[in-house]
Amino acid sequence: MEGAAAGAQYNPRTVEEVFKDFKGRRSGLIKALTTDVEVFHWQCDPEKENLCLYGFPNEQWEVSLPAEEVPPELPEPALGINFARDGMQEKDWLSLVAVHSDAWLLSVAFYFGARFTFDKADRKRLFDMINDVPTIYEVVTGGEKKQVKEKSSVTNHSSNKSKSNSKVVKKRESQGKFSEASQPKDEDEVLDEEDTDEHGETLCGACGENYAADEFWICCDICERWFHGKCVKITPARAEHIKQYKCPSCSNKRARP
């Protein structure tokens, strides 16, 4: 808990101090997701409660439960990173944690900026300094080495991302929903009737409610039950990174000796 103590006692007040704090926390997080990745993976046990990944100004990192005080002294990192560990390929899981870590670093930096009343010029200078270093996501995925190429392919990436949504989540419902939007009115009515006949009896494995064509659903690859995305806290964006989805019940199952 030495890292936590160091983080709690340090309050940067100038742009340079906040940026130094940012770099220290960033270094700790990068260490957890690269050189210390085996230890980090082991500590993120899905059997444990909601865990967070913290980075500290002294370039250390820690996996622990969220702060107990409400509201917390600093913005909190993403909660429950351990739950997705075994339901995704490791590189995708690490990339997901990296993205959330980048967001957390920005929130902490600008929390200090708001707390110590940085003006518009100071906030812009702080952002420019942060923007000059690669994100954690870029470091973890190797993206900092090909930023120029990525800039030229942003449009293609966005279109491919949309196309892959229904494929990754394997949503029969989603495919029906997307196709309905482009059909003439008469065909819409026919598709609605067929969709209702085929999936009308499908119930969410979490809340027990019926299928609805305008809601995001996901199927467990283990028990093959369907769930509302909102019931199992899975968004379409997060589903893109999941190669094999396990519902909460299947994730908690372990072979008994």
Short mmCIF file of all heavy atoms in Angstrom, two decimals, residues 78-103:
data_model
loop_
_atom_site.label_atom_id
_atom_site.label_comp_id
_atom_site.label_asym_id
_atom_site.label_seq_id
_atom_site.Cartn_x
_atom_site.Cartn_y
_atom_site.Cartn_z
N ALA A 78 -11.70 2.77 -13.59
CA ALA A 78 -12.78 1.86 -13.97
C ALA A 78 -12.93 0.75 -12.94
O ALA A 78 -11.95 0.17 -12.47
CB ALA A 78 -12.49 1.26 -15.35
N LEU A 79 -14.18 0.44 -12.61
CA LEU A 79 -14.49 -0.55 -11.59
C LEU A 79 -14.74 -1.92 -12.20
O LEU A 79 -15.39 -2.04 -13.24
CB LEU A 79 -15.74 -0.09 -10.83
CG LEU A 79 -16.22 -0.94 -9.66
CD1 LEU A 79 -15.22 -0.89 -8.52
CD2 LEU A 79 -17.58 -0.44 -9.18
N GLY A 80 -14.21 -2.97 -11.58
CA GLY A 80 -14.51 -4.33 -12.01
C GLY A 80 -13.70 -4.82 -13.20
O GLY A 80 -14.19 -5.66 -13.97
N ILE A 81 -12.47 -4.35 -13.36
CA ILE A 81 -11.67 -4.78 -14.51
C ILE A 81 -11.38 -6.27 -14.48
O ILE A 81 -11.12 -6.89 -15.52
CB ILE A 81 -10.33 -4.01 -14.58
CG1 ILE A 81 -9.53 -4.20 -13.27
CG2 ILE A 81 -10.55 -2.54 -14.86
CD1 ILE A 81 -8.12 -3.65 -13.33
N ASN A 82 -11.45 -6.88 -13.30
CA ASN A 82 -11.15 -8.31 -13.17
C ASN A 82 -12.24 -9.21 -13.75
O ASN A 82 -11.98 -10.34 -14.16
CB ASN A 82 -10.93 -8.68 -11.70
CG ASN A 82 -12.04 -8.17 -10.79
OD1 ASN A 82 -12.49 -7.03 -10.91
ND2 ASN A 82 -12.49 -9.02 -9.87
N PHE A 83 -13.50 -8.72 -13.82
CA PHE A 83 -14.60 -9.56 -14.26
C PHE A 83 -14.49 -9.95 -15.73
O PHE A 83 -14.98 -11.01 -16.13
CB PHE A 83 -15.94 -8.87 -14.01
CG PHE A 83 -16.25 -8.70 -12.55
CD1 PHE A 83 -16.98 -7.61 -12.10
CD2 PHE A 83 -15.80 -9.62 -11.61
CE1 PHE A 83 -17.26 -7.45 -10.75
CE2 PHE A 83 -16.08 -9.46 -10.26
CZ PHE A 83 -16.81 -8.38 -9.83
N ALA A 84 -13.88 -9.11 -16.54
CA ALA A 84 -13.80 -9.39 -17.98
C ALA A 84 -12.55 -10.17 -18.35
O ALA A 84 -12.39 -10.57 -19.51
CB ALA A 84 -13.83 -8.08 -18.77
N ARG A 85 -11.68 -10.45 -17.38
CA ARG A 85 -10.38 -11.04 -17.70
C ARG A 85 -10.47 -12.36 -18.45
O ARG A 85 -9.79 -12.57 -19.46
CB ARG A 85 -9.57 -11.25 -16.41
CG ARG A 85 -8.12 -11.63 -16.65
CD ARG A 85 -7.46 -12.17 -15.39
NE ARG A 85 -7.95 -13.50 -15.06
CZ ARG A 85 -7.50 -14.22 -14.04
NH1 ARG A 85 -6.57 -13.72 -13.25
NH2 ARG A 85 -7.98 -15.43 -13.79
N ASP A 86 -11.29 -13.28 -17.99
CA ASP A 86 -11.33 -14.60 -18.59
C ASP A 86 -12.34 -14.73 -19.73
O ASP A 86 -12.42 -15.77 -20.37
CB ASP A 86 -11.66 -15.66 -17.51
CG ASP A 86 -10.54 -15.78 -16.49
OD1 ASP A 86 -9.42 -15.31 -16.79
OD2 ASP A 86 -10.78 -16.33 -15.40
N GLY A 87 -13.10 -13.67 -19.99
CA GLY A 87 -14.08 -13.72 -21.07
C GLY A 87 -13.58 -13.11 -22.36
O GLY A 87 -14.32 -13.02 -23.34
N MET A 88 -12.30 -12.67 -22.39
CA MET A 88 -11.74 -12.03 -23.56
C MET A 88 -10.33 -12.56 -23.80
O MET A 88 -9.71 -13.12 -22.90
CB MET A 88 -11.66 -10.50 -23.36
CG MET A 88 -12.96 -9.84 -22.97
SD MET A 88 -12.72 -8.11 -22.45
CE MET A 88 -12.18 -7.37 -23.99
N GLN A 89 -9.84 -12.38 -25.02
CA GLN A 89 -8.44 -12.68 -25.26
C GLN A 89 -7.61 -11.67 -24.46
O GLN A 89 -8.00 -10.51 -24.29
CB GLN A 89 -8.10 -12.56 -26.75
CG GLN A 89 -8.67 -13.67 -27.59
CD GLN A 89 -8.10 -13.67 -29.00
OE1 GLN A 89 -7.25 -12.85 -29.34
NE2 GLN A 89 -8.57 -14.61 -29.80
N GLU A 90 -6.46 -12.11 -23.97
CA GLU A 90 -5.68 -11.26 -23.07
C GLU A 90 -5.32 -9.91 -23.69
O GLU A 90 -5.43 -8.87 -23.04
CB GLU A 90 -4.40 -11.98 -22.64
CG GLU A 90 -3.57 -11.16 -21.67
CD GLU A 90 -2.38 -11.92 -21.12
OE1 GLU A 90 -2.49 -13.15 -20.96
OE2 GLU A 90 -1.34 -11.29 -20.88
N LYS A 91 -4.94 -9.91 -24.97
CA LYS A 91 -4.54 -8.64 -25.59
C LYS A 91 -5.72 -7.67 -25.68
O LYS A 91 -5.55 -6.46 -25.53
CB LYS A 91 -3.94 -8.88 -26.98
CG LYS A 91 -4.91 -9.45 -28.00
CD LYS A 91 -4.25 -9.60 -29.36
CE LYS A 91 -5.23 -10.12 -30.40
NZ LYS A 91 -4.61 -10.23 -31.74
N ASP A 92 -6.93 -8.21 -25.90
CA ASP A 92 -8.12 -7.35 -25.96
C ASP A 92 -8.48 -6.83 -24.59
O ASP A 92 -8.90 -5.68 -24.42
CB ASP A 92 -9.29 -8.12 -26.56
CG ASP A 92 -9.08 -8.47 -28.02
OD1 ASP A 92 -8.43 -7.68 -28.73
OD2 ASP A 92 -9.55 -9.53 -28.46
N TRP A 93 -8.33 -7.69 -23.58
CA TRP A 93 -8.62 -7.26 -22.21
C TRP A 93 -7.64 -6.17 -21.77
O TRP A 93 -8.05 -5.16 -21.19
CB TRP A 93 -8.53 -8.47 -21.27
CG TRP A 93 -8.68 -8.13 -19.83
CD1 TRP A 93 -9.78 -7.60 -19.22
CD2 TRP A 93 -7.69 -8.27 -18.81
NE1 TRP A 93 -9.53 -7.42 -17.87
CE2 TRP A 93 -8.26 -7.83 -17.60
CE3 TRP A 93 -6.38 -8.77 -18.80
CZ2 TRP A 93 -7.57 -7.84 -16.39
CZ3 TRP A 93 -5.69 -8.79 -17.60
CH2 TRP A 93 -6.27 -8.33 -16.42
N LEU A 94 -6.36 -6.36 -22.07
CA LEU A 94 -5.36 -5.35 -21.71
C LEU A 94 -5.62 -4.04 -22.44
O LEU A 94 -5.45 -2.95 -21.87
CB LEU A 94 -3.96 -5.87 -22.03
CG LEU A 94 -3.46 -7.05 -21.19
CD1 LEU A 94 -2.11 -7.54 -21.70
CD2 LEU A 94 -3.36 -6.66 -19.71
N SER A 95 -6.04 -4.13 -23.70
CA SER A 95 -6.35 -2.92 -24.46
C SER A 95 -7.52 -2.18 -23.84
O SER A 95 -7.54 -0.94 -23.76
CB SER A 95 -6.68 -3.28 -25.91
OG SER A 95 -5.57 -3.85 -26.56
N LEU A 96 -8.53 -2.94 -23.38
CA LEU A 96 -9.69 -2.33 -22.74
C LEU A 96 -9.30 -1.63 -21.45
O LEU A 96 -9.73 -0.49 -21.19
CB LEU A 96 -10.75 -3.41 -22.47
CG LEU A 96 -12.07 -2.93 -21.87
CD1 LEU A 96 -12.79 -2.00 -22.85
CD2 LEU A 96 -12.96 -4.12 -21.51
N VAL A 97 -8.47 -2.28 -20.64
CA VAL A 97 -8.00 -1.67 -19.40
C VAL A 97 -7.17 -0.42 -19.71
O VAL A 97 -7.26 0.60 -19.02
CB VAL A 97 -7.17 -2.67 -18.57
CG1 VAL A 97 -6.59 -1.99 -17.33
CG2 VAL A 97 -8.02 -3.86 -18.16
N ALA A 98 -6.38 -0.48 -20.78
CA ALA A 98 -5.55 0.66 -21.17
C ALA A 98 -6.40 1.87 -21.53
O ALA A 98 -6.09 3.00 -21.13
CB ALA A 98 -4.65 0.27 -22.35
N VAL A 99 -7.47 1.65 -22.28
CA VAL A 99 -8.36 2.76 -22.66
C VAL A 99 -8.96 3.42 -21.43
O VAL A 99 -8.99 4.65 -21.30
CB VAL A 99 -9.48 2.24 -23.60
CG1 VAL A 99 -10.56 3.30 -23.77
CG2 VAL A 99 -8.91 1.87 -24.96
N HIS A 100 -9.46 2.59 -20.50
CA HIS A 100 -10.04 3.14 -19.28
C HIS A 100 -8.98 3.85 -18.43
O HIS A 100 -9.27 4.85 -17.76
CB HIS A 100 -10.70 2.04 -18.47
CG HIS A 100 -12.03 1.61 -19.02
ND1 HIS A 100 -13.15 2.42 -18.99
CD2 HIS A 100 -12.42 0.46 -19.63
CE1 HIS A 100 -14.16 1.79 -19.54
NE2 HIS A 100 -13.75 0.60 -19.95
N SER A 101 -7.76 3.36 -18.46
CA SER A 101 -6.67 3.99 -17.71
C SER A 101 -6.34 5.37 -18.29
O SER A 101 -6.08 6.32 -17.54
CB SER A 101 -5.43 3.10 -17.72
OG SER A 101 -5.68 1.87 -17.06
N ASP A 102 -6.36 5.47 -19.62
CA ASP A 102 -6.14 6.78 -20.25
C ASP A 102 -7.21 7.78 -19.81
O ASP A 102 -6.91 8.94 -19.49
CB ASP A 102 -6.18 6.64 -21.78
CG ASP A 102 -4.89 6.10 -22.36
OD1 ASP A 102 -3.82 6.50 -21.87
OD2 ASP A 102 -4.95 5.28 -23.29
N ALA A 103 -8.46 7.32 -19.80
CA ALA A 103 -9.56 8.21 -19.40
C ALA A 103 -9.40 8.64 -17.93
O ALA A 103 -9.66 9.79 -17.57
CB ALA A 103 -10.90 7.49 -19.60
#
